[in-house]
Amino acid sequence: MNRISTDILISGGGVAGLTAAAAFGSAGFNVICVDPAPPITDGDAAGADMRTTAFLQPSIKVLQDAGLWDRLAPHAADLQIMRIVDAGGAQPDPRIVKDFNAADISDLPFGWNLPNWLLRREMVARLTDLPNVDFRPGVATQSVLTRATEALVTLSDGSRVSARLLIAADGRNSPVRQAVGIPVKTLRYGQKALAFAVTHPGPHGNVSTEVHRSGGPFTLVPLPDRDDQPCSAIVWMERGPEVLRLAALPEAEFEAQMNARSAGLYGPLKLVTPRSVWPIISQIADRFYAERTALIAEAAHVVPPIGAQGLNMSLGDLRILLELAQADRAGLGSRKMLETYNRRRWPEVKARVTGIDLLNRASMMGAQGLRDMRAGALNALYSVAPVRKTLMKAGLGMR
């Protein structure tokens, strides 16, 4: 059986795994990255991921160092203002609107938003420029055996790989995490999310808007114009059965309900992409490492799509892991390195998972009295400038 040695094997070729491959490859490590599903890199192709990712300020240096940001920046839409709208009154109209402006804490926008399918296209292109990165789409991780000096991984193409470090970036049901025996704690909300894109008559003004009523937030995030019309991505969170009902509606009926839920903030919204449905959970692994193995991204933690935290937490994992690898290249994948990674990363992630869980539960409130309490809390937090700025910095991961 063919056996290959490498510095790092990355199991998972989603956005997080591809970013990790580009980052470690750009830093001079030999990398193999595998994923059982070839990436869909055309937004019009069947199965394309219609979600978007907002990269917050601290994530940009990771992308720059990986040689990715120059490819991505021309396609990105700035996120200058985060707008929170409470539409939890008797009628679904905006009753409280609060803007959190990045200019209050920085000369830069909060972040930059891009479609997930486009991220995959540009990331795969970057990997072709790196001779020390071997990307194998359509190849799965079949088995894992670790010992003190290496991780031995058998792949579905018949290869056996000896890696000094195995990185699990293979999703919330991570086969690698299961293989190395790391338990997880999962919270289920009975929610799902619809993801799609719309055009609208007026410009979005680089404003990302969360509309809260019940069931979860209805979030509109700026995208570059589409066919010369202003365009936004939408993530609409609701109770699971309601999402399935909405997903099955004819387009005209869906647009009518979508426009009602948007509180009319952007004028008439026109659906311009397919609708995809995604389950909503919170999840965190009991630890982020095992022998010769590091968990990152959804293999380590999953949060509801609130405040653009998900992938930015994943890039936070990558930043720490890469920093430790570069500081001691001889110790790549050692127990000391991985214990340090876990110590620096797990408590911060746990705090964010807990905070986003609370925000999601608040957004789900259905009883009128509870929705009124939520509106009052938003007013109170926004009214104190130091608190408002602290919340913005915390959301960015700034200290």
Side-chain angles (χ1 to χ4, degrees), residues 93-150:
D93 300 318
R95 56 177 179 170
I96 296 176
V97 179
K98 301 297 183 184
D99 286 354
F100 295 81
N101 194 325
D104 290 342
I105 59 171
S106 172
D107 294 331
L108 297 172
F110 284 116
W112 296 263
N113 196 49
L114 297 104
N116 282 7
W117 64 264
L118 185 144
L119 292 175
R120 287 180 170 85
R121 185 188 75 190
E122 298 302 320
M123 289 172 175
V124 169
R126 169 59 179 158
L127 296 188
T128 64
D129 295 338
L130 294 167
N132 53 327
V133 176
D134 179 5
F135 177 45
R136 301 188 182 185
V139 175
T141 299
Q142 284 196 329
S143 67
V144 176
L145 173 66
T146 66
R147 49 196 185 192
T149 57
E150 62 184 345

Side-chain angles (χ1 to χ4, degrees), residues 168-230:
D170 48 356
R172 59 186 64 185
N173 298 314
S174 169
V176 169
R177 187 188 66 226
Q178 294 175 36
V180 296
I182 300 177
V184 295
K185 292 183 175 62
T186 304
L187 295 173
R188 303 187 186 279
Y189 303 98
Q191 281 176 304
K192 296 184 186 296
L194 277 165
F196 52 93
V198 298
T199 54
H200 36 84
H204 48 59
N206 299 115
V207 178
S208 178
T209 304
E210 284 188 3
V211 184
H212 295 264
R213 183 163 172 79
S214 64
F218 181 99
T219 305
L220 303 102
V221 189
L223 286 173
D225 288 358
R226 184 185 180 109
D227 300 326
D228 297 322
Q229 291 186 292

Side-chain angles (χ1 to χ4, degrees), residues 33 67 81 97 104 170 211 222 235 252 271 287 336 359 385:
C33 179
I81 292 173
V97 179
D104 290 342
D170 48 356
V211 184
V235 177
L271 183 68
R287 62 185 188 279
K336 177 183 176 182
L359 289 173

Side-chain angles (χ1 to χ4, degrees), residues 98 194 288 343 382:
K98 301 297 183 184
L194 277 165
F288 292 171
R343 185 171 62 251
Y382 185 87

